[in-house]
Amino acid sequence: MQDVTDLPWAHVAITGASSGLGRALALANAAPGRVLHLAARDTTRLEDTAAACHALGAEVMATPLDVRDAAACAAWVNGMGRIDLLLANAGISGGTGGGTEPGEQVRAVFETNLNGVLNTALPAMARMATQAPGADGLRGRIGIVASVVGFVAAPSAPAYSASKAAVQRWAEATDATQRRRGIRLHSICPGFIRTPMTAPNRFPMPFMISPEEAARRTLEGIASGRQRVAYPRRTYALFRLLGMLPPGLMAWASRAVPAKDVSAA
C-alpha cells in the first residue's frame, strides 16, 4: 500500500470503527497530520482503537454512536470540521440458522446496514457540498461498505444479502450524479474477511483475507477513483457467477452447505 501520508485526504470519519474492518481502516489512516472521527456502539473497543490511532500520531475524536439513530448521526457529522472521506462501515450480519429468518432480525439488519448507511452518508454529502475542493479537485469522498454477498440472493442470509445489494446499488447510482458536485461515492464489496462477524460461520469461506489486507485494498481502490472496489478478484468472480444462477437452483444448492448462524452480530 502507498504510504498513508500520501493518501489524498486528511479528515476521515469511520463508523463501526471498534473492530474488524472498521478498526483496520482507522489504523490504516492514522498518521501525523490526520484527523480521525471514529464512531461505534462498543465504547470500550472504540476507545482502544482510538488510543492505537493516537499512538500513530493521528488526532482522534471517538464518539459512541448507533447508526440507527438518524438524529445522532446528523449531529455527529455536523459536529465535524472538514470531511474528506467518510467510510460508512457499520453493519451487522444474520442468517436463518437453517430455519426461517426471524422478523426482528430482518428489521435490525435493514435498520443498521441500509438506514444506518443513509443516516451517515446523506448528511455527509450535504456537508461536503459546502466544502471547498481539495488539492485533487474533490469536495469529498464516501466509501459505502457493501459485500460480494450483495450480488447473490442468498437463501441462508436473506436480509444481509439484500441490505448489502441495496447500499451497493445506491452508492454506484448516486456517484454518477454527485460527481457534478465534486463528490465521489464508492461501493466497497469485500469477500470474506477474518473478523468477529465471520467467526461463527460454519460454511466454507474461500480466499479469506485479513482485516489489514481488506483495509489496504479498500483505501487503494478509493484513492484510484474506482466506483466499485471489489476484492479478492476470485471471490468477486465467484459471487458474480453465483448471482447468475436461477433462484430455484440457488435455493437448492444452499441446502448443501451449513446455514449461517441466526444471530445478528
Side-chain angles (χ1 to χ4, degrees):
M1 177 176 172
Q2 67 191 97
D3 190 283
V4 62
T5 57
D6 293 333
L7 292 172
W9 47 74
H11 300 80
V12 183
I14 306 172
T15 63
S18 61
S19 67
L21 177 58
R23 176 182 170 88
L25 287 167
L27 291 170
N29 277 287
R34 290 295 176 85
V35 178
L36 303 183
H37 296 271
L38 308 181
R41 290 185 299 175
D42 190 308
T43 303
T44 301
R45 292 189 303 181
L46 177 62
E47 290 176 350
D48 181 68
T49 299
C53 292
H54 181 73
L56 293 172
E59 180 182 347
V60 185
M61 275 69 70
T63 303
L65 181 70
D66 187 336
V67 295
R68 296 173 297 180
D69 187 333
C73 288
W76 178 61
V77 170
N78 292 324
M80 302 176 197
R82 184 177 178 88
I83 312 171
D84 295 317
L85 172 65
L86 167 73
L87 293 165
N89 166 75
I92 60 174
S93 177
T96 63
T100 300
E101 187 170 25
E104 63 272 18
Q105 178 177 286
V106 173
R107 292 184 181 278
V109 169
F110 274 97
E111 282 294 326
T112 302
N113 296 1
L114 177 54
N115 290 341
V117 164
L118 299 179
N119 287 343
T120 51
L122 291 175
M125 281 193 294
R127 283 291 309 281
M128 289 175 179
T130 68
Q131 298 178 163
D136 56 2
L138 292 177
R139 299 179 189 275
R141 296 175 172 83
I142 298 175
I144 304 295
V145 178
S147 170
V148 294
V149 178
F151 298 108
V152 177
S156 63
Y160 182 77
S161 62
S163 67
K164 292 302 186 179
V167 294
Q168 175 255 322
R169 296 298 175 91
W170 178 77
E172 293 178 12
T174 304
D175 176 61
T177 55
Q178 289 298 315
R179 291 188 193 204
R180 302 169 191 162
R181 302 204 296 174
I183 301 170
R184 290 297 315 277
L185 275 78
H186 311 266
S187 70
I188 314 302
C189 303
F192 297 108
I193 305 173
R194 192 175 296 107
T195 68
M197 185 180 289
T198 58
N201 292 347
R202 296 178 292 121
F203 51 84
M205 292 179 284
F207 316 123
M208 180 176 280
I209 61 176
S210 69
E212 294 75 21
E213 175 67 10
R216 179 187 69 80
R217 296 191 186 208
T218 295
L219 297 177
E220 288 184 347
I222 293 174
S224 67
R226 285 157 54 194
Q227 186 182 52
R228 179 184 297 171
V229 184
Y231 56 82
R233 289 183 180 179
R234 291 178 294 180
T235 311
Y236 177 47
L238 172 63
F239 276 80
R240 292 304 303 270
L241 288 173
L242 289 173
M244 297 171 65
L245 294 176
L249 181 58
M250 188 65 193
W252 173 84
S254 71
R255 294 196 290 269
V257 297
K260 184 173 177 62
D261 180 60
V262 71
S263 301

